[in-house]
Amino acid sequence: MRYLISKNCHNSPGAKNNHFALDNVSVNSAELIQAIIAHDNSAIQNILSRNISNHQLKQIFRYALINSKPDLVKLCITQNVSVNGLLPFGKKYVVPLDIAQINADPQIIKYLIEAGADQQASDRHQAAGGAV
């Protein structure tokens, strides 16, 4: 409901500066989860342009990696998501580069490496026994 009200205010003919006000509204976790479940990439891109928490950014990043969404991965990287941070994947935690390699998406792998993803971080994590 809040999204519809915000969208209607944003699209009104006389409201040209409402985009700034909408960008600074915090993202409701339910809104984020709903967009992820619906695989609504345009809603997720809208959410990325707003004031989101680090945890929410990691959720979007994980979704984009698992579902091979290069555009969303690139947006997350521009939002300064940690490309070497551990993400839940199955029953263990892995680095984003491992997820991208499992999905074999060369474009995402390229974005991660350009952003400083470190394969050795994965190797160190595996050597430590996969502990978080």
Side-chain angles (χ1 to χ4, degrees):
M1 182 71 165
R2 187 178 100 197
Y3 175 73
L4 294 175
I5 293 170
S6 297
K7 187 172 182 177
N8 288 338
C9 290
H10 178 63
N11 291 334
S12 63
K16 294 188 179 184
N17 293 328
N18 278 349
H19 187 61
F20 178 75
L22 183 62
D23 286 349
N24 290 323
V25 174
S26 293
V27 175
N28 183 335
S29 291
E31 178 184 357
L32 174 61
I33 291 169
Q34 182 179 5
I36 288 174
I37 290 172
H39 298 282
D40 188 351
N41 291 342
S42 62
I44 294 171
Q45 287 176 345
N46 181 358
I47 288 170
L48 278 170
S49 69
R50 293 167 50 196
N51 185 19
I52 63 173
S53 70
N54 191 33
H55 179 70
Q56 291 169 330
L57 180 61
K58 284 181 183 179
Q59 285 179 316
I60 294 171
F61 188 51
R62 180 180 175 272
Y63 161 79
L65 288 169
I66 290 173
N67 293 291
S68 296
K69 306 286 184 185
D71 295 338
L72 291 177
V73 169
K74 192 171 187 177
L75 283 172
C76 288
I77 290 171
T78 61
Q79 294 286 330
N80 295 324
V81 71
S82 173
V83 294
N84 289 317
L86 297 177
L87 297 172
F89 186 73
K91 293 184 177 185
K92 57 185 176 178
Y93 285 82
V94 297
V95 292
L97 192 56
D98 285 348
I99 297 172
Q101 289 173 342
I102 290 169
N103 291 339
D105 190 322
Q107 192 172 16
I108 292 176
I109 293 170
K110 178 184 169 208
Y111 290 153
L112 290 172
I113 291 172
E114 287 174 353
D118 183 11
Q119 180 61 43
Q120 293 175 355
S122 173
D123 297 340
R124 285 191 301 270
H125 175 66
Q126 294 297 329
V132 177

